[in-house]
Amino acid sequence: MSLPPVIVSGAALTPYGRRKDGSGFRDWAAEAFEAALAMSDLECGDIDMLFVATESDFFSMQLNPGSILASDLGLVGVAATRCEGGGASGQVAVHAAVNAVASGSAKHAAVIGVDPSASSLSGDAIRTLYGFSFDAWTDGMTGVTPTALYGLSYQAFAAEFGTTNDDLAAVTQQNRENACYNPGAHLGRRDSAEEIAESPMIASPYRRLHCSPLSDGAAALIVSQGSALPRSRAGAPQVAGIGAATDHMHLGARSSPGHFTAKTRAIKIACQQAGIVPDQIGLAEIYDAYAGAQLQALLALGLSDQPAQDLRNGRFAPDGRCPVNLSGGLMGQGAPVGATGVGQTATCALLLEGRYHSDLQPKAVPQYALADTHGGICTVAATTLLRQAVAA
Amino acid sequence: MINHRLTLDYVLAPGFFAPFIDGLLTATAWARRCAACQNVSYPPLRTCTCGEAAGEWQKLKGQADIVWRTEGVDGAFALVKFDGADTQSVVRLQGIEAHDTRGCLYRPDGDAPQMVLGPISQDMQT
Ligand SMILES: [Zn+2]
């Protein structure tokens, strides 16, 4: 079933990183919202609904972020909903907003993702809490960390596809190299393969430099009915398809623990809505929580049947056939968790409009872009396909 | 800066999962056998991978093969397959050597119901 026209009329991200300037998550949410609203050429009074993504009340010490942000942003009176999907929370919120607009419930919906993931709690506290983002009564009680679970899943994948630590280094280097050209990135850096291989072991085979950082930051989108779009926004990209799916919560209940099956289900739904096949996707922001997770994602999304080889042959490079994580991805740009999915979709929208950071903006803009987000160990997957405006 | 310290002591009733949770505290592996496909899940699935919710509790021997293992700053963990189970389990490894390929469920340190796999002693193997 294809979607009625839903347009990304506004998109913005704050810088991601560890903020030390005294600003707080409510400031970042306001900053992102104001920038997205300005891009949309709409006013606060035009917004009918607000969808907010923050991963956990533990990070923000705030149980009702939807209504808090509605008050802060001058949106009192609108319907405000908080969306949760672990690491996919932001993309889940994007989907809720797209569905609200597509159904006619809202003409214009705002989506805000925000988290103070880097600065509000100690590293130890964050690590403890993250164990509970899987099944808290089984995996969580063991004290297992996300890195360990991803390490187990990746080993199953590597055994099947023959990927090596050199492939993990290649993903790490490409994403962080891209981040060097993104002024809003948390971790643009150029590490040699040796430096990556010598960084501390977090949970084998993952070393510190194979992991994405937790960041502070926010991102915002305004999605609008095509018929309600200001004339000035005729070049804004359209939501071509959305797809979300789940997998078994327990890694061990999956028939193939190395495969991100929820992503395969999600992209199939999104592609069916868009009327395309994955091969037509011309750029992608992929959920690279860990270097190996990017390879697992590329396979699951149908972007490659030999992801490590295609990475090496340049298919996913900035000048390749399908640039991946031009932003730097989670590994390079960073991950303020609730903001991540919103920021990935915002990045795709800005790239399709030709408004992205000049050093990363492809000269030839593709027709379709994919934002791919997941939560847990790909327990919940949410994908969004954007299409360049017909008039653009 | 807004500084605030929270100390939280949770008490959650396990409900349906009580046999599994209580079993961990005595190093007994209570799994769930599906009434439809007979698959045995451990940790127990309330609804089997085949979609059936009906089933019964089944005690496993508590010994498992290590399928994948990971080690790092937070300890060692593994995806293991318990004898008699059709699904795999994530466990914390305790006292398991790098060359060990099997282990058995251990009583956790403290009150928390943890899935801990330790070495199989000689008398356990018989
Ligand atoms: Zn069954």
Side-chain angles (χ1 to χ4, degrees):
Chain A
M1 196 178 75
S2 64
L3 281 173
V6 177
I7 311 296
V8 181
S9 54
L13 303 88
T14 68
Y16 291 177
R18 182 179 283 274
R19 299 284 284 254
K20 293 174 181 167
D21 56 3
S23 64
F25 75 92
R26 292 162 69 163
D27 302 315
W28 315 329
E31 180 186 336
F33 172 69
E34 284 160 16
L37 191 68
M39 180 175 160
S40 72
D41 267 351
L42 296 165
E43 313 269 336
C44 262
D46 295 319
I47 304 296
D48 308 305
M49 289 190 180
L50 170 66
F51 294 90
V52 169
T54 66
E55 190 187 28
S56 169
D57 305 341
F58 289 112
F59 298 159
S60 56
M61 210 180 73
Q62 186 65 66
L63 270 66
N64 56 348
S67 41
I68 289 289
L69 292 184
S71 287
D72 274 3
L73 304 178
L75 294 174
V76 169
V78 305
T81 303
R82 187 260 187 91
C83 301
E84 182 281 318
S89 295
Q91 202 64 259
V92 168
V94 172
H95 287 192
V98 168
N99 283 325
V101 170
S103 71
S105 299
K107 276 188 181 171
H108 305 283
V111 188
I112 296 173
V114 62
D115 260 317
S117 308
S119 62
S120 66
L121 288 169
S122 69
D124 282 349
I126 290 273
R127 218 164 35 237
T128 300
L129 291 171
Y130 265 124
F132 303 128
S133 60
F134 306 94
D135 184 341
W137 292 5
T138 58
D139 302 347
M141 283 295 159
T142 66
V144 73
T145 59
T147 313
L149 277 177
Y150 274 93
L152 293 170
S153 174
Y154 174 70
Q155 287 182 63
F157 172 85
E160 187 177 346
F161 293 93
T163 54
T164 65
N165 286 344
D166 289 346
D167 298 318
L168 297 182
V171 173
T172 303
Q173 287 172 322
Q174 180 170 304
N175 291 0
R176 297 229 167 92
E177 170 72 20
N178 288 350
C180 288
Y181 301 97
N182 175 353
H186 188 163
L187 216 55
R189 52 190 284 166
R190 297 180 174 95
D191 297 298
S192 67
E194 292 72 28
E195 286 166 326
I196 295 168
E198 286 165 11
S199 64
M201 184 67 82
I202 304 299
S204 55
Y206 286 135
R207 294 178 177 276
R208 177 162 293 152
L209 289 174
H210 295 131
C211 308
S212 58
L214 285 167
S215 314
D216 299 328
L221 285 186
I222 311 290
V223 290
S224 302
Q225 284 182 1
S227 57
L229 198 66
R231 236 174 223 283
S232 58
R233 297 298 294 127
Q238 183 168 339
V239 179
I242 56 174
T246 50
D247 201 347
H248 290 289
M249 190 73 182
H250 298 161
L251 201 54
R254 303 178 187 178
S255 54
S256 303
H259 285 245
F260 287 170
T261 306
K263 270 192 211 293
T264 306
R265 295 185 182 121
I267 191 71
K268 191 174 170 194
I269 297 164
C271 279
Q272 276 173 351
Q273 275 189 358
I276 65 166
V277 294
D279 205 40
Q280 290 173 261
I281 294 166
L283 66 85
E285 288 291 306
I286 300 289
Y287 196 83
D288 56 329
Y290 297 90
Q294 178 161 317
L295 300 173
Q296 292 171 274
L298 291 169
L299 180 86
L301 293 164
L303 294 176
S304 171
D305 52 14
Q306 43 174 13
Q309 289 89 329
D310 282 340
L311 178 78
R312 286 170 185 285
N313 68 29
R315 184 184 180 120
F316 306 123
D319 59 353
R321 194 173 136 199
C322 179
V324 163
N325 286 335
L326 283 167
S327 67
L330 279 69
M331 293 184 70
Q333 176 167 241
V337 186
T340 295
V342 184
Q344 288 176 302
T345 305
T347 298
C348 288
L350 294 166
L351 283 161
L352 288 184
E353 273 207 57
R355 297 168 74 138
Y356 200 56
H357 304 299
S358 54
D359 289 340
L360 292 165
Q361 176 65 49
K363 288 185 182 67
V365 177
Q367 201 173 359
Y368 291 96
L370 165 68
D372 155 64
T373 321
H374 74 244
I377 175 82
C378 200
T379 310
V380 52
T383 56
T384 298
L385 285 167
L386 300 186
R387 176 170 48 223
Q388 207 184 128
V390 176
Chain B
M1 286 299 164
I2 301 165
N3 291 302
H4 186 66
R5 183 173 190 185
L6 278 180
T7 305
L8 305 170
D9 290 307
Y10 289 95
V11 180
L12 296 165
F16 171 88
F17 294 98
F20 164 71
I21 298 285
D22 294 345
L24 289 179
L25 297 173
T26 57
T28 311
W30 282 101
R32 189 82 180 158
R33 175 184 288 279
C34 171
C37 74
Q38 307 301 315
N39 263 18
V40 175
S41 56
Y42 189 74
L45 295 170
R46 191 181 192 116
T47 299
C48 176
T49 54
C50 77
E52 175 62 52
E56 59 187 26
W57 292 97
Q58 177 173 318
K59 193 161 135 182
L60 304 181
K61 193 175 157 196
Q63 298 193 0
D65 285 319
I66 296 170
V67 182
W68 302 110
R69 61 186 291 161
T70 178
E71 200 154 354
V73 290
D74 295 299
F77 300 91
L79 195 58
V80 306
K81 193 155 188 293
F82 278 85
D83 297 347
D86 294 294
T87 62
Q88 298 176 357
S89 318
V90 172
V91 297
R92 174 182 281 280
L93 298 179
Q94 198 168 282
I96 296 262
E97 303 292 332
H99 59 266
D100 288 338
T101 58
R102 277 176 70 73
C104 70
L105 200 60
Y106 267 56
R107 196 190 305 265
D109 299 332
D111 296 337
Q114 290 192 343
M115 296 179 74
V116 178
L117 203 77
I120 301 173
S121 64
Q122 289 301 323
D123 54 331
M124 283 175 177
Q125 285 172 350
T126 54

